[in-house]
Amino acid sequence: MSALLMAIWFNGMTPEETTILTLAMRDSGDIVDLSSLPGFKVDKHSTGGVGDKTTLVIAPVVAACGVTVAKMSGRGLGHTGGTVDKLESIPGFRIDLSRDEFFRIVKEHGLAVTGQSGDLAPADKKMYALRDVTASVDSIPLIASSIMSKKLALGSDGILLDVTVGSGAFMKKYSDALKLALAMASIGNSSGRATAVLVTDMDSPLGNTIGNALELAEAIEVLKGRGPKDVREVCIELAASMLQLAGKGSLPECRAMAAKVLDNGAAYAKLCDMVAAQGGDVSVIKNPERLPQAHYKYEVRAQESGYITQMDAELCGIASMQLGAGREKLGDTLDPSAGIVLMRKTGDAVSKGEVIAMLKSNDQQRFPAAAETLNKALKIGSAKPKLRPLVLARIGVDGHVEKFFDEN
Ligand code: URA
């Protein structure tokens, strides 16, 4: 296997070879059969981000538009967060649903989010360990087959992939993100799943919060038709692409549908229904100030005047992890209330001494190291930086690529 992985690293693989490998990896373990659930089931997968609370918003949006979301999500590791951890900041919320409970809730509400159980694509875990020691982790066909083997095992009819790119993402370069996006779209569509991809920016954190309960509160704001503009915009784009995969209409029609259920409360009501069905305390959704709150706060201030020209998302994610919001290694326990509230973002003007970010934790000893990391993430310059668009490219089910940004 090590020889094969190294050969693939050197020579690459054709799209056909990549799909054959992916299907063999998918078939190495359990495969979830969602076919007894009614309607078109659509899933979404992100290659990882910082402050990325989009699943918490778009799953209820898509369900409120009449498309089934039977979602199995993972936990966070390192600088990136996981949807399951964010949902667990709701007292009582269960992510360990049995198969029967999961199916019953999806049938009743069109939506459920549970943790991943079973042995999905075990070949991927073994191959990843070998990639690690043979320096073949960064092969695009191997990354694509690793991600898609697990996604295909989850059984949805349609898959929307969010390939993030930038300092906080697995893919640091736009050109590499585009290659990965194309490889994954090809695997999905040639395996009989309607697959589309958005390439989105992850140079700066998404929205104004990083950390589990903080991100959930921000997602609730967006579900109430408010919240930060960037989160709302990306969520509408992602949800619209999922609705389009389910045959709900053209992209502009699907965008309008998604915006409508955010503004008329239907998506918010879906989240409340799901939380109640999964044993969570709905009163904290209605009153997010009742979510876990950190005992201590610490202000990070601008060290000079000017414009924020950089807010390195990976370092922001690491700072949040140092506050207790993330896991350095598997099995670490989290502080659901810990994290960062960003008062200013890339492109904003700041004056020396102004508060840029508020750190939150239940352990004051964590503040100095986290503040140092966050200060490293920030660059302030004299010229207002030009920001790239949030959605950099889209690949449709037909393989058509639209680019909204050019690197040069
Ligand atoms: N995520 C995965 O699941 N696999 C990879 O190879 C890289 C990122």
Side-chain angles (χ1 to χ4, degrees):
M1 180 53 78
S2 292
L4 174 66
L5 294 169
M6 285 187 277
I8 293 171
W9 189 88
F10 278 111
N11 293 332
M13 281 195 289
T14 65
E16 293 73 27
E17 288 166 340
T18 312
T19 300
I20 292 167
L21 176 66
T22 308
L23 295 180
M25 290 162 74
R26 175 197 67 181
D27 294 340
S28 66
D30 296 339
I31 294 180
V32 181
D33 180 4
L34 299 179
S35 60
S36 64
L37 291 170
F40 188 93
K41 277 78 64 183
V42 65
D43 197 2
K44 171 247 176 193
H45 175 82
S46 160
T47 55
V50 176
D52 183 353
K53 65 277 294 172
T54 55
T55 298
L56 299 171
V57 178
I58 62 184
V61 164
V62 170
C65 294
V67 174
T68 304
V69 182
K71 181 117 191 73
M72 287 166 221
S73 282
R75 295 188 179 282
L77 185 63
H79 71 279
T80 59
T83 299
V84 156
D85 298 321
K86 292 169 203 183
L87 285 168
E88 274 189 327
S89 56
I90 305 167
F93 190 88
R94 288 184 44 226
I95 55 92
D96 58 346
L97 301 177
S98 69
R99 185 189 173 281
D100 286 353
E101 285 173 314
F102 182 59
F103 276 59
R104 180 179 52 74
I105 296 169
V106 175
K107 273 188 192 144
E108 201 166 321
H109 300 287
L111 167 68
V113 179
T114 189
Q116 279 167 13
S117 60
D119 196 17
L120 294 176
D124 172 59
K125 290 187 198 77
K126 296 185 178 188
M127 288 165 68
Y128 199 93
L130 290 173
R131 283 165 62 197
D132 216 15
V133 291
T134 55
S136 51
V137 167
D138 63 351
S139 151
I140 288 187
L142 289 178
I143 299 171
S145 51
S146 163
I147 295 173
M148 291 305 288
S149 63
K150 291 171 283 192
K151 275 288 117 179
L152 294 175
L154 290 176
S156 282
D157 305 304
I159 305 172
L160 178 72
L161 299 162
D162 179 7
V163 174
T164 49
V165 56
S167 63
F170 194 75
M171 289 288 141
K172 308 288 181 203
K173 276 172 49 194
Y174 180 51
S175 53
D176 287 340
L178 272 175
K179 282 185 205 150
L180 179 64
L182 280 166
M184 293 202 293
S186 149
I187 297 169
N189 288 312
S190 61
S191 308
R193 309 295 177 88
T195 307
V197 192
L198 294 187
V199 178
T200 65
D201 180 62
M202 193 40 75
D203 251 344
S204 307
L206 189 63
N208 300 336
T209 57
I210 310 166
N212 297 298
L214 294 170
E215 290 190 41
L216 178 67
E218 189 168 274
I220 293 168
E221 276 296 292
V222 177
L223 284 166
K224 287 183 173 164
R226 305 189 291 247
K229 206 168 146 279
D230 61 342
V231 184
R232 178 179 163 102
E233 185 186 327
V234 169
C235 286
I236 289 178
E237 288 301 316
L238 292 166
S241 290
M242 290 168 80
L243 293 170
Q244 194 192 25
L245 285 174
K248 285 286 182 180
S250 68
L251 210 44
E253 286 164 349
C254 291
R255 269 192 206 112
M257 249 185 267
K260 186 171 164 193
V261 297
L262 283 176
D263 294 332
N264 70 11
Y268 169 73
K270 260 298 166 216
L271 177 75
C272 293
D273 290 347
M274 181 189 88
V275 169
Q278 296 194 217
D281 178 357
V282 183
S283 78
V284 304
I285 305 297
K286 298 193 167 142
N287 305 282
E289 66 281 359
R290 290 198 203 149
L291 280 165
Q293 303 286 333
H295 282 108
Y296 304 107
K297 293 178 192 164
Y298 183 100
E299 292 168 345
V300 173
R301 293 173 182 271
Q303 294 180 350
E304 54 193 307
S305 296
Y307 290 96
I308 301 182
T309 55
Q310 191 185 311
M311 191 172 247
D312 183 292
E314 181 165 16
L315 288 172
C316 291
I318 293 172
S320 173
M321 184 182 77
Q322 289 171 320
L323 292 167
R327 291 182 187 83
E328 220 157 321
K329 54 182 189 319
L330 279 174
D332 283 354
T333 44
L334 299 184
D335 172 357
S337 67
I340 304 173
V341 179
L342 299 166
M343 273 76 171
R344 296 283 178 268
K345 298 278 302 275
T346 313
D348 289 347
V350 289
S351 311
K352 186 173 177 178
E354 190 180 330
V355 179
I356 294 185
M358 185 75 78
L359 311 186
K360 299 197 170 198
S361 184
N362 282 315
D363 179 356
Q364 281 177 292
Q365 288 178 352
R366 291 176 176 266
F367 286 136
E372 193 185 329
T373 307
L374 193 63
N375 274 318
K376 273 191 212 143
L378 293 168
K379 284 208 171 63
I380 295 175
S382 55
K384 190 173 165 67
K386 199 171 171 319
L387 300 183
R388 60 184 185 180
L390 290 168
V391 178
L392 303 168
R394 175 184 298 112
I395 302 173
V397 233
D398 53 2
H400 177 65
V401 183
E402 284 174 282
K403 286 192 207 168
F404 309 111
F405 174 72
D406 218 328
E407 216 155 18
N408 307 308

